[in-house]
Amino acid sequence: MSTSGTDAVAVAVAPAKRPPINKYACACALLASMNSVLLGYGRFGCAHCSSLVGHRYDRADISVMSGAQLFMKEDLKITDTQIEILAGVINIYSLFGSLAAGLTSDWLGRRYTMVLAAAIFFTGALLMGLAPDYGLLMVGRFVAGIGVGFALMIAPVYTAEVAPTSARGFLTSFPEVFNNFGILLGYVSNFAFARLPVHLSWRAMFLVGAVPPVFLGVAVLAMPESPRWLVMRGRIDDARRVLQKTSDSPAEAEERLLDIKKVVGIPEGVSNADDVAAIVRANNKQGSRHDGVWKELLINPSRPVRRMLMAGLGLMFIQQATGVDCVVMYSPRVFERAGIKSKTNSLGASMAVGACKTFFIPISTLLLDRIGRRPLLLASGGGMAIFLFTLATSLHMMDRRPEGEATALGAVSIAAMLSFVASFASGLGPVAWVYCSEIYPLRLRAQAAAIGTGLNRIMSGATTMSFLSLSNTITIAGSFYLYACIAAAGWVFMYFFLPETMGKSLEDTVKLFGKDADDEDVGDSRRHGPSQKPSTELSAQQ
């Protein structure tokens, strides 16, 4: 008896064994996330261009040897102001791509939206590489920016909808990993083509960027469509086949299918294709009579939807308003203030920033489904605030000391900058995209994610394009003090407004933001009762 009791207790307290990573879902996530290589590679040249511009304004003799714009300036005879605009404007252009991707992904599907993203970026890379003057170069930048916006929005959404609950955080963080891989490819491209003649070097750097989209566009065609999009179109059998391949068990596949059908408005017992199609058509017509998704998101959102938007948009704002792109793009200026004067050392230190960012991102991907989203976000936000304050203080103290007498402070500032980048990469960087891809209900997910991505790009462009003017007005140390205050305020926001989503299905995460999300899509402001609506619609069709 005692032995039996002991065994029972042992069984009761034994931790549940984590299922192995679903290989098919992992392959889908990898292919989808490779679109983010376009973002990293497409924006890379601007990073060094911006650093170079900052040095020119600062009348320093340091320049970055890599970066296409170094050669463009000489070849096309363009000004520093034109280069600075080129540096940050892709973030504004990508806003339009993100918003368009929200519409396209609901219309064509998640998979074909990724193919479209690759095609658009391919066209943009060709236009930039073959541009004879600044005007056409800006046109190519616009087209590439649209492609970047498409890729940035659709990859996390697709991955979140395909991934099983046990590995959703891990798989949905892949886009940020590949984004930084694209940045490293940019470094390699610059080194490879820097010795070509001036009129060929920068063009080769851009034209090489047209190669990956070709392979990505073809590879994506081998991926399945999102099961949630298939259910929205009434394709239940197709969705079931995808779920059976991407779930941890057949039981989980059926459970996920039932949850998706529930939020779409298809009763559990309905399986006839004609009945399903009739219900889907009725739901779509009813949605159009109430101005659809945009009204439910922006004009007349329910209380849960308002809380979701506050959480998602707030997180996207904080991610970029803390100035991480400025730290990466203008790192040579910080290294110069820290006493690194040679071109080679400046380039090496700048690459250390990129390498640090790339190294720490996988750490968060491994921890997302083990310790949760909130602990990573809070630890990351707190670390960012502390290290930004340390960086600003060390730079401020260095400005008050004669050159050559602040070696220790220079080391502190470099360490603080690398620690800030590591804190961002191990939390807020990838986790923000994961979190914002899983908190919205199915019918609103694509459009809400598009709005969040658009805000993220606006803030990225605003911070990078204003950094030089801001640092000239309040000093570079003052700029980092400002970013430190934003990071501290962001920590408070994340602590009070972001619930934990780890271990919950996409259909269950919406319940964290309001009680009226229990029985149907919380975005539906057209509530007719908790359970009668689907059966009423079915009987009406019959």
Side-chain angles (χ1 to χ4, degrees):
M1 291 291 291
S2 61
T3 303
S4 176
T6 303
D7 292 340
V9 173
V11 171
V13 299
K17 184 179 179 181
R18 293 177 57 85
I21 298 294
N22 184 290
K23 294 180 180 179
Y24 188 81
C26 186
C28 293
L30 283 172
L31 287 175
S33 302
M34 288 175 71
N35 277 277
S36 296
V37 173
L38 309 181
L39 172 65
Y41 190 91
R43 294 177 60 220
F44 170 79
C46 288
H48 292 287
C49 154
S50 302
S51 300
L52 205 161
V53 173
H55 283 30
R56 299 247 189 256
Y57 283 153
D58 211 33
R59 295 189 293 278
D61 59 355
I62 300 176
S63 64
V64 180
M65 294 175 65
S66 63
Q69 284 72 22
L70 176 62
F71 305 99
M72 289 163 45
K73 181 181 173 75
E74 180 179 350
D75 184 30
L76 299 181
K77 312 300 180 186
I78 57 181
T79 66
D80 287 336
T81 301
Q82 288 175 310
I83 293 178
E84 185 178 25
I85 293 173
L86 195 70
V89 76
I90 192 171
N91 295 298
I92 306 301
Y93 291 157
S94 63
L95 163 66
F96 300 103
S98 299
L99 296 177
L103 297 171
T104 306
S105 63
D106 280 344
W107 177 42
L108 292 178
R110 303 348 186 191
R111 185 177 61 161
Y112 285 112
T113 298
M114 286 185 278
V115 175
L116 184 59
I120 294 173
F121 190 86
F122 171 81
T123 304
L126 289 181
L127 289 173
M128 289 189 292
L130 301 175
D133 53 40
Y134 184 78
L136 287 179
L137 182 63
M138 187 62 76
V139 172
R141 201 70 174 157
F142 173 77
V143 176
I146 298 296
V148 165
F150 266 79
L152 191 64
M153 174 267 165
I154 193 59
V157 170
Y158 173 86
T159 306
E161 292 185 346
V162 169
T165 301
S166 62
R168 189 175 65 240
F170 173 70
L171 298 180
T172 311
S173 64
F174 281 5
E176 188 70 10
V177 176
F178 281 94
N179 176 20
N180 284 273
F181 180 68
I183 293 176
L184 292 180
L185 286 181
Y187 278 112
V188 174
S189 174
N190 281 339
F191 277 115
F193 300 115
R195 299 193 179 202
L196 292 177
V198 171
H199 68 287
L200 294 178
S201 55
W202 67 271
R203 296 182 186 278
M205 294 173 190
F206 281 126
L207 290 174
V208 166
V211 176
V214 176
F215 295 99
L216 289 175
V218 175
V220 167
L221 292 176
M223 296 163 47
E225 182 53 84
S226 159
R228 288 168 172 83
W229 186 84
L230 292 172
V231 173
M232 288 175 65
R233 290 295 178 270
R235 297 165 58 181
I236 305 299
D237 291 337
D238 291 338
R240 179 180 284 108
R241 282 191 288 270
V242 176
L243 288 171
Q244 288 172 346
K245 293 181 179 180
T246 60
S247 298
D248 293 329
S249 65
E252 183 191 358
E254 288 300 321
E255 183 179 354
R256 290 172 68 186
L257 181 61
L258 289 176
D259 287 341
I260 298 169
K261 289 171 64 177
K262 183 178 180 180
V263 299
V264 171
I266 301 174
E268 180 177 342
V270 176
S271 58
N272 181 273
D274 292 335
D275 291 341
V276 169
I279 293 173
V280 170
R281 285 196 301 270
N283 288 342
N284 290 338
K285 288 181 180 180
Q286 191 168 14
S288 64
R289 290 198 301 268
H290 289 82
D291 300 327
V293 172
W294 291 108
K295 179 177 179 180
E296 295 180 28
L297 277 174
L298 301 177
I299 299 176
N300 188 30
S302 63
R303 184 185 174 203
V305 171
R306 282 196 299 270
R307 294 181 62 188
M308 293 173 193
L309 286 173
M310 180 183 297
L313 298 184
L315 197 54
M316 284 298 180
F317 174 87
I318 294 165
Q319 190 200 55
Q320 291 300 325
T322 49
V324 63
D325 280 352
C326 296
V327 171
V328 174
M329 289 185 177
Y330 296 97
S331 56
R333 297 190 71 195
V334 179
F335 292 132
E336 178 199 356
R337 296 290 181 89
I340 298 179
K341 298 296 184 181
S342 73
K343 296 178 180 179
T344 303
N345 290 341
S346 177
L347 177 59
S350 298
M351 292 185 66
V353 173
C356 181
K357 193 166 183 278
T358 304
F359 174 78
F360 277 91
I361 284 179
I363 295 177
S364 64
T365 67
L366 296 174
L367 296 177
L368 266 166
D369 294 313
R370 296 179 182 276
I371 66 174
R373 283 59 158 162
R374 270 178 59 87
L376 286 173
L377 286 171
L378 294 175
S380 173
M384 289 167 62
I386 292 171
F387 294 126
L388 279 172
F389 183 83
T390 304
L391 174 61
T393 302
S394 61
L395 291 174
H396 177 70
M397 294 176 65
M398 288 173 62
D399 288 339
R400 295 172 172 267
R401 295 192 179 188
E403 187 174 356
E405 297 184 8
T407 304
L409 288 173
V412 170
S413 64
I414 293 175
M417 183 167 64
L418 294 176
S419 299
F420 164 76
V421 172
S423 295
F424 176 86
S426 60
L428 187 58
V431 179
W433 294 107
V434 174
Y435 196 88
C436 292
S437 68
E438 60 187 9
I439 62 173
Y440 299 110
L442 174 60
R443 208 170 71 81
L444 307 180
R445 185 172 299 133
Q447 308 294 6
I451 295 173
T453 304
L455 176 62
N456 184 278
R457 294 299 88 204
I458 289 176
M459 291 308 303
S460 177
T463 54
T464 54
M465 295 179 72
S466 65
F467 182 80
L468 294 176
S469 301
L470 183 65
S471 61
N472 287 336
T473 303
I474 64 175
T475 74
I476 188 171
S479 300
F480 288 130
Y481 274 127
L482 175 62
Y483 296 144
C485 292
I486 295 175
W491 188 94
V492 175
F493 172 84
M494 291 186 291
Y495 182 83
F496 286 104
F497 291 98
L498 301 186
E500 181 58 71
T501 59
M502 181 182 69
K504 296 184 179 297
S505 69
L506 290 182
E507 286 66 43
D508 285 338
T509 56
V510 299
K511 301 176 183 180
L512 301 172
F513 295 89
K515 294 182 179 179
D516 58 344
D518 287 346
D519 296 312
E520 58 183 349
D521 189 330
V522 299
D524 189 356
S525 59
R526 304 166 277 105
R527 316 198 73 82
H528 297 287
S531 59
Q532 285 75 17
K533 176 184 171 184
S535 59
T536 302
E537 291 182 4
L538 179 61
S539 61
Q541 295 300 325
Q542 293 174 337

